Amino acid sequence: MTKQDLDSSASGYISDSFEGISQTFTDVEILSTSEANVVAKAKRYGRWWLLKGLKKEVMGKAIYQQRLRKELEILMLLQHPNVVATYGMEDVEGLGLCIVMEYVDGMTLKEWLAEKPSRRMKLQVMREITDAVAYIHTKGIAHRDLKPTNIIVTGNGSHVKLIDFGLADTDSHAVLKQPAGTLSYMSPEQMQTAVADGRNDIYSLGIIMQQMELGWRYLYIIKRCTQPIDHRYQNITELQQAFHTTGRRLKRIAVWMGAIVITGLLVLTGLLMLRANEQDEKLAKMKATYQQEQRVQQLQIKQLTDSTKVLGNYNQELRLRESTMIANRRKVENAVNNGKRLIEKTMQQTNIDRHLDTLSNILYIWSDFTNRSQAGERAIEKYLRQIDNSFSNMEKDEIRNTLNRHNEAIVTKWRNRIVNISK
């Protein structure tokens, strides 16, 4: 290796195309669009990223630029395992300025619930959702659009990722203050005021818990979440404590019930063992009699088993015959249907319908009709020579007769038309 090669290898510069790695985003795929935003995924440095930008129609409008900037400022405050990670804003070719976030491989909570997960898994997911909301509330942020489609459940372990902070707000932001959210999950007061309040999110969590069907033990929590704002949980910590307390209470009840069941089983086992010892002597005296009866019964069972086997073989043979007959019947029906389609196609190819109208002399009509109407018969004979040799002669005769009747019906329709023309 030359000195120039050594200097080049130690220079610290790596080309953009080194082993396929590129600093630009590639494989851009649009995932969804809304009134103002475009969400896409793209690849860079060998991994997928999520990009959120503005639609071309609104890209130059200041209000939408401020909204995107506000979402970025809020997301950059957050670092939590249950909140989508954000890395900054970049100008992406074809998309313009975009917020760059981690791409979460999973499905929405709505899709995840449709797969009927276990109650234990749903409780775990709900705990992670409340943990995520509690975290953003500690940062002074209200999400304001909590709903199943804004919650991703990852494929590797069913963990939660909270996404879409487009409507989120904080007290420190003075711009874009307006009522917002999804009607089905918005608290009544959120529809009328633009002031961000963590209790708005608590109402939305109550609706989400209701849809998750966590069980009757959590109905009180759901009801409390959806009460008027002054009677609702006043902060997310109260909701978490109620949720965890209910879970611990259920565990204690389960432990108590388990202890009762184990104690009952031990007592029952002792009683059964005592009774078994008392019966041992009786069983010893009856053993000889039982053995004799068992030998007789075994002989009878053997005879019955032999008879059952014979009957089973006979029934199996009958079922096989019936299955064969059904299969043969279907095969004949398929052959007939295929033959009918062949006849109809052949007769259509003769163009006799259109040709009849062009012949003025009745003698020509009958002569031409006779010649063309025989096309169906020729097609039938050719078809019968080509079908599977597994058909019996009787089955072939049945196919032939059925196809001849079908062909005759077509010919009769044309013959009647000739009669009408001749009149």
Side-chain angles (χ1 to χ4, degrees), residues 311-324:
L311 182 60
N313 292 335
Y314 179 71
N315 288 335
Q316 185 176 2
E317 183 178 352
L318 287 179
R319 287 194 296 271
L320 181 60
R321 289 179 182 176
E322 181 181 0
S323 176
T324 302

Side-chain angles (χ1 to χ4, degrees), residues 25 44 47-53 68-90 98-104 135-136 141 143 161-166 168:
F25 288 104
R44 183 168 70 174
R47 60 173 285 190
W48 288 103
W49 304 80
L50 195 68
L51 307 176
K52 183 173 183 180
L68 190 67
R69 176 69 63 178
K70 177 180 177 180
E71 182 176 358
L72 172 66
E73 292 174 355
I74 290 175
L75 284 169
M76 292 300 290
L77 297 174
L78 304 177
Q79 286 186 330
H80 190 273
N82 299 124
V83 178
V84 63
T86 304
Y87 300 94
M89 179 177 285
E90 296 185 30
C98 292
I99 299 175
V100 181
M101 295 173 281
E102 66 170 324
Y103 176 75
V104 182
Y135 169 73
I136 68 173
I141 300 169
H143 190 281
K161 288 285 186 178
L162 193 59
I163 65 171
D164 197 348
F165 284 74

Side-chain angles (χ1 to χ4, degrees), residues 17-71:
S17 60
F18 177 70
E19 294 186 356
I21 296 177
S22 174
Q23 294 180 358
T24 60
F25 288 104
T26 61
D27 301 324
V28 178
E29 178 184 345
I30 303 298
L31 299 181
S32 64
T33 59
S34 61
E35 178 185 359
N37 294 109
V38 175
V39 178
K41 72 173 184 177
K43 186 175 287 186
R44 183 168 70 174
Y45 304 132
R47 60 173 285 190
W48 288 103
W49 304 80
L50 195 68
L51 307 176
K52 183 173 183 180
L54 298 176
K55 295 174 68 173
K56 293 182 179 179
E57 296 84 346
V58 301
M59 195 175 292
K61 296 182 179 181
I63 185 172
Y64 294 105
Q65 294 173 357
Q66 290 176 351
R67 181 184 297 178
L68 190 67
R69 176 69 63 178
K70 177 180 177 180
E71 182 176 358

Side-chain angles (χ1 to χ4, degrees), residues 332-344 347 373 375-385 387 395-411:
V332 170
E333 291 174 354
N334 290 335
V336 169
N337 291 333
N338 292 335
K340 286 181 178 180
R341 286 192 290 269
L342 176 62
I343 292 170
E344 293 168 359
M347 299 303 271
S373 63
E377 297 175 0
R378 292 192 294 272
I380 292 173
E381 293 305 320
K382 182 178 179 181
Y383 176 67
L384 289 172
R385 290 193 298 272
I387 62 176
E395 290 172 339
K396 288 185 177 180
D397 290 340
E398 179 184 353
I399 295 171
R400 177 182 286 104
N401 294 335
T402 304
L403 295 181
N404 284 332
R405 287 195 297 272
H406 184 69
N407 181 63
E408 182 60 28
I410 297 175
V411 173

Side-chain angles (χ1 to χ4, degrees), residues 171-324:
D171 292 337
S172 60
H173 283 85
V175 296
L176 303 174
K177 298 291 185 181
Q178 58 184 357
T182 302
L183 289 178
S184 301
Y185 299 89
M186 287 173 62
S187 62
E189 69 278 358
Q190 189 176 336
M191 300 179 188
Q192 302 172 6
T193 179
V195 178
D197 191 325
R199 291 174 293 181
N200 302 154
D201 289 342
I202 291 174
Y203 180 93
S204 302
L205 288 175
I207 302 298
I208 292 171
M209 280 192 284
Q210 188 176 34
Q211 295 177 349
M212 291 182 70
E213 298 180 352
L214 301 177
W216 62 268
R217 299 174 182 86
Y218 293 88
L219 292 180
Y220 173 77
I221 296 177
I222 294 171
K223 183 177 180 181
R224 178 82 181 274
C225 287
T226 54
Q227 289 288 316
I229 189 166
D230 291 334
H231 300 284
R232 203 175 300 160
Y233 293 112
Q234 295 303 294
N235 55 66
I236 191 67
T237 302
E238 291 184 7
L239 171 57
Q240 285 182 299
Q241 289 176 347
F243 193 83
H244 294 324
T245 300
T246 300
R248 288 195 297 269
R249 186 183 301 115
L250 293 178
K251 290 180 180 178
R252 286 197 297 269
I253 292 174
V255 171
W256 292 339
M257 292 298 296
I260 293 173
V261 170
I262 292 174
T263 302
L265 288 174
L266 290 174
V267 172
L268 180 61
T269 302
L271 292 175
L272 290 175
M273 291 180 63
L274 179 61
R275 186 175 179 181
N277 290 333
E278 294 174 350
Q279 291 181 346
D280 281 345
E281 294 181 2
K282 295 180 181 179
L283 291 175
K285 295 177 182 179
M286 298 170 63
K287 184 176 180 180
T289 303
Y290 287 160
Q291 289 176 345
Q292 179 61 31
E293 291 178 353
Q294 286 174 356
R295 284 193 290 270
V296 174
Q297 290 176 356
Q298 288 173 356
L299 180 61
Q300 294 174 345
I301 290 172
K302 184 178 183 304
Q303 294 172 348
L304 181 60
T305 301
D306 294 339
S307 300
T308 302
K309 288 181 179 178
V310 172
L311 182 60
N313 292 335
Y314 179 71
N315 288 335
Q316 185 176 2
E317 183 178 352
L318 287 179
R319 287 194 296 271
L320 181 60
R321 289 179 182 176
E322 181 181 0
S323 176
T324 302

